[in-house]
Structure formats: structure tokens, C-alpha cells
């Protein structure tokens, strides 16, 4: 029997590729960049499964280019805002993502940014390298204390809750918002549910963990910056378009908020020009899940979803189990 044919649209950790190669014929995009639209459509053609990245538009055009033999498109990401679920279900194609395995790494990144902004780590690094450090001084480069403050979690799902749990070690009060209250989370952390506007008024640190959907696009814009504390620090490790980047740059420039730490951008890899010159913004290049361990585990999880679907089962991290009825 001939082996199933799988495309992986970017190089991922080799062990996960090797795992898939034990059972399938696997082709990996050899370039260290996303495939262009034409390359993606051409190289996906005729595959039984495709492993995609958050930078690949997984839409009807791609699905039709792959063809009716395709059983699954497995995203190498937990976010699936790049995927058209209805189009996949209609065609009987399973979609899957990689939840849980990247939760800790992404929560750590949110904390790295919170601390870096508050304690001016990136700014201080630049000054030191430029030879401008002239010695300890009582009033030099002060920032807000982190311990004891209020952390606002916007989107208390897997990553939001993991970010909140880390706040316990900093003796912080946690407030959160989500579609619905989370009693178990409240019991475990002492967190209190607040509507978004109340959270924005209350929190010293605001960390975003919602998925990108039509409802969360520009969730944080000019109006929201207007109700935050002047001392607030905003951290975004969710998706760029959750924040209106121009409004953020203005809020930082005018002192409407104190600082921001960003891992994601509205038009990646383009970053709003106005942000680049701001000393009170720490800008990371989308590194939320970028640890050796997590990227390998994401690869195994996506590979496993592919193997399950190719074996005729509903994949464990399936986003549209109802596609089974369409095959
Ligand atoms: P998750 O478990 O699904 O959590 C999402 C949370 O957002 C849920 O608590 C949900 O509330 C809440 N939510 C959804 N829409 C909302 C709205 N309109 N208003 C308020 N809350 C809303 O997802 P996750 O695994 O934590 O991942 C979150 C996101 O992080 C992903 O979608 C992805 O885009 C991003 N991410 C980024 C990186 C990175 O590299 N920077 C890495 C991993 C993930 P309910 O539970 O009440 O429905």
C-alpha cells in the first residue's frame, strides 16, 4: 500500500518530522521563510495532510488546491485565526491545533515582557551597551514595582490562567475577564471576575490572552486606553490585531499609559513605525512558544493529529469534529 503524502509548510524540529516520516512520505518547505501563495498551492496539491503555520492562510482556495483526498490540515499553533473552519467542514477536512503544550512557554513570555517593561530591562541594556551607564544613582531609571500590584487577565483560558498563577509568587491581586466566569480558577488563585472596562480601570498590568476573532479585533483601542491608569502596562502575547497599534503608539507617546510589551503585531512582520522609537515599549519578535521543548512538542502534537486523521479517526485536537459526517 502506498504511503500517505504530507506537506509541512516550514522547517520544524527534526524529531517531530522524523516521527511523521516513520509512517508517511513527508516533504518540508526547504526555505527558511513562509511559502508564497503560489508555492503553497502548488506544493500542497495532492497531499493527504498538510501541517500549516499561523502565517499560512488555510482557506477554501488552499483546500480546493490540495484536493478531495486531503483528510486533515493540522496547524502548528494553538491560535487558528488563519483557518476557515466552515470551509474545511464543508469539504470533510479535519482541522487541528496545538493547545496546552505551549501554555507555559507563552505565559512565561507574558511575564518576561511585564518585567522587562516595568524594570526597564531592554532600555537599560541599550544604555549600557552604548557606554552611557555612568554609575548607580538613587533616581536613575526607576520603574513601577511589580510585587503587590493588580494583574488584569483579558481572556482567562489556558494561557491566561497560567499567567495568573505566576502572579501568586509576586503577591499580586488578580482580576480577569472572559466570556464566562471561571469558579475553579477563582478558587485556585483568588482571582476576581470583572467586566472588561472595570478590569481596565483597575489593573496595573494588563495581559491579553484572547483568541483573534471578529469580536476581539481592536478589543483594545483608543477608548480603552482612555480608561486605563496612566501607570498601566499593557502586554500582548495574544494576536496583534487585538490591539489597535496606532492607538497604542499614541497612548504611549502621550503618557496615557506607562508602557507596553508586545510579542505580536497587527501586520507581522511589519511593526508600526511609531512604536519603534518609543523607549517605553518592549518589542519581541513573536517568540511566545519559542522554546526548544515547546516547539518540539507542538511538532509531535500536530504530527499525531495528522496520523490519527490518516488512520480514519477524529484527531485528538480537532477543531471541527463535525467534518467526520461530511466524508
Ligand atoms: P483559550 O484556552 O481558548 O483561552 C482563550 C480565552 O479567551 C478564554 O478564556 C475565552 O473565554 C476568552 N475569550 C474569548 N473571546 C473573548 C472575548 N470576546 N472577550 C473576553 N474573553 C474572551 O486559548 P489559549 O490556549 O489560552 O490561547 C490564547 C491565544 O493566545 C491563542 O488564541 C493565540 O492566538 C495566542 N497565542 C500566542 C502565542 C505567541 O506566540 N505569542 C502562543 C500561543 C498562543 P471563555 O473561556 O469564557 O470562552
Amino acid at each position: 500500500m502506498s504511503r500517505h503524502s504530507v506537506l509541512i509548510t516550514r522547517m520544524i524540529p527534526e524529531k517531530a518530522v522524523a516521527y511523521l516520516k516513520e509512517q508517511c512520505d513527508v516533504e518540508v518547505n526547504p526555505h527558511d521563510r513562509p511559502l508564497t501563495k503560489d508555492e503553497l498551492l502548488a506544493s500542497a496539491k495532492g497531499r493527504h495532510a498538510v501541517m500549516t503555520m499561523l502565517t499560512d492562510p488555510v482557506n477554501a482556495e488552499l483546500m480546493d488546491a490540495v484536493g478531495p483526498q486531503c483528510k486533515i490540515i493540522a496547524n502548528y499553533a494553538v491560535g487558528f485565526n488563519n483557518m476557515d473552519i466552515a470551509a474545511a467542514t464543508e469539504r470533510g477536512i479535519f482541522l487541528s491545533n496545538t493547545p496546552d503544550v505551549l501554555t507555559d512557554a507563552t505565559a512565561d513570555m507574558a511575564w518576561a515582557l511585564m518585567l522587562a517593561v516595568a524594570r526597564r530591562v531592554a532600555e537599560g541594556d541599550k544604555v549600557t551597551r552604548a557606554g552611557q551607564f555612568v554609575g548607580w544613582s538613587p533616581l536613575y531609571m526607576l520603574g513601577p514595582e511589580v510585587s503587590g500590584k493588580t494583574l488584569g487577565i483579558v481572556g482567562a483560558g489556558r494561557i491566561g490562567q497560567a499567567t495568573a498563577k505566576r502572579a501568586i509568587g509576586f503577591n499580586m491581586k488578580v482580576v480577569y475577564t472572559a466570556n464566562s466566569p471561571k469558579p475553579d480558577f477563582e478558587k485556585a488563585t483568588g482571582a476576581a471576575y470583572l467586566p472588561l472596562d472595570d478590569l481596565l480601570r483597575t489593573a496595573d498590568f494588563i495581559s491579553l490572552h484572547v483568541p483573534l476573532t471578529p469580536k476581539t479585533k481592536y478589543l483594545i483601542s483608543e477608548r480603552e486606553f482612555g480608561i486605563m491608569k496612566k501607570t498601566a502596562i499593557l502586554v500582548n502575547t495574544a494576536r496583534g490585531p487585538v490591539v489597535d497599534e496606532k492607538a497604542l503608539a499614541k497612548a504611549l507617546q502621550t503618557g496615557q499609559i506607562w508602557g507596553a510589551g508586545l510579542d505580536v503585531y497587527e501586520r507581522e512582520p511589519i511593526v508600526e513605525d511609531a512604536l519603534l522609537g518609543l523607549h517605553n515599549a518592549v518589542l519581541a519578535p513573536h517568540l511566545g512558544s519559542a522554546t526548544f521543548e515547546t516547539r518540539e512538542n507542538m511538532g509531535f502534537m500536530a504530527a499525531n493529529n495528522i496520523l490519527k486523521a490518516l488512520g480514519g479517526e477524529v484527531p485528538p485536537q480537532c477543531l471541527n469534529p463535525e467534518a467526520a459526517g461530511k466524508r
Side-chain angles (χ1 to χ4, degrees), residues 54 77-81 97-100 102-103 105-106 109 154-161 176-182 193 196 208-213 215-216 219 236-239 242 263-264 268 286-290 295 298:
L54 52 89
V78 68
F80 49 87
N81 49 288
N97 67 341
T98 62
D100 300 312
L102 42 57
T103 293
T106 311
M109 191 65 196
V154 179
R158 290 169 291 247
I159 300 169
Q161 293 193 22
Y176 75 98
T177 199
N179 288 320
S180 62
K182 318 276 171 221
Y193 181 87
L196 179 62
L208 305 180
H209 301 287
V210 288
L212 174 60
T213 66
K215 267 178 84 181
T216 62
L219 188 69
N236 187 10
T237 58
R239 283 286 182 266
V242 174
D263 187 42
V264 287
E268 290 182 20
H286 204 148
L287 299 176
S289 64
R295 288 285 166 84
M298 288 164 66

Side-chain angles (χ1 to χ4, degrees), residues 198-210:
D198 293 342
L199 180 150
L200 299 177
R201 276 187 203 101
T202 311
D204 301 299
F205 293 82
I206 297 160
S207 193
L208 305 180
H209 301 287
V210 288

Side-chain angles (χ1 to χ4, degrees), residues 87-205:
T89 303
E90 207 176 287
R91 290 161 177 78
I93 298 173
F94 288 126
L95 299 179
S96 65
N97 67 341
T98 62
D100 300 312
V101 288
L102 42 57
T103 293
D104 282 329
T106 311
D108 290 347
M109 191 65 196
W111 269 95
L113 289 170
M114 273 190 260
L115 292 168
V117 177
R119 304 310 307 274
R120 305 175 72 162
V121 176
E123 194 187 348
D125 177 87
K126 275 185 213 117
V127 165
T128 307
R129 284 171 200 277
Q132 292 161 359
F133 171 48
V134 292
W136 186 90
S137 162
L139 296 178
Y140 183 55
M141 251 198 212
L142 308 189
E145 182 103 1
V146 178
S147 294
K149 294 285 176 62
T150 297
L151 170 62
I153 298 286
V154 179
R158 290 169 291 247
I159 300 169
Q161 293 193 22
T163 303
K165 281 181 189 147
R166 284 155 172 73
I168 294 170
F170 287 83
N171 290 322
M172 291 175 95
K173 183 177 165 196
V174 178
V175 293
Y176 75 98
T177 199
N179 288 320
S180 62
K182 318 276 171 221
D184 292 345
F185 169 56
E186 292 182 15
K187 216 177 266 173
T189 58
Y193 181 87
L194 285 181
L196 179 62
D197 282 4
D198 293 342
L199 180 150
L200 299 177
R201 276 187 203 101
T202 311
D204 301 299
F205 293 82

Side-chain angles (χ1 to χ4, degrees), residues 25-37:
D25 290 334
V26 180
E27 189 184 332
V28 182
N29 164 12
H31 313 292
D32 195 13
R33 59 165 173 79
L35 294 170
T36 64
K37 180 180 165 189

Side-chain angles (χ1 to χ4, degrees), residues 270-305:
I270 297 164
V271 177
E272 176 66 30
D273 248 359
L275 288 173
L276 295 171
L278 291 176
H279 71 89
N280 52 349
V282 174
L283 308 175
H286 204 148
L287 299 176
S289 64
T291 70
F292 298 116
E293 295 85 348
T294 291
R295 288 285 166 84
E296 199 166 279
N297 289 333
M298 288 164 66
F300 281 121
M301 185 175 266
N304 199 41
N305 277 309

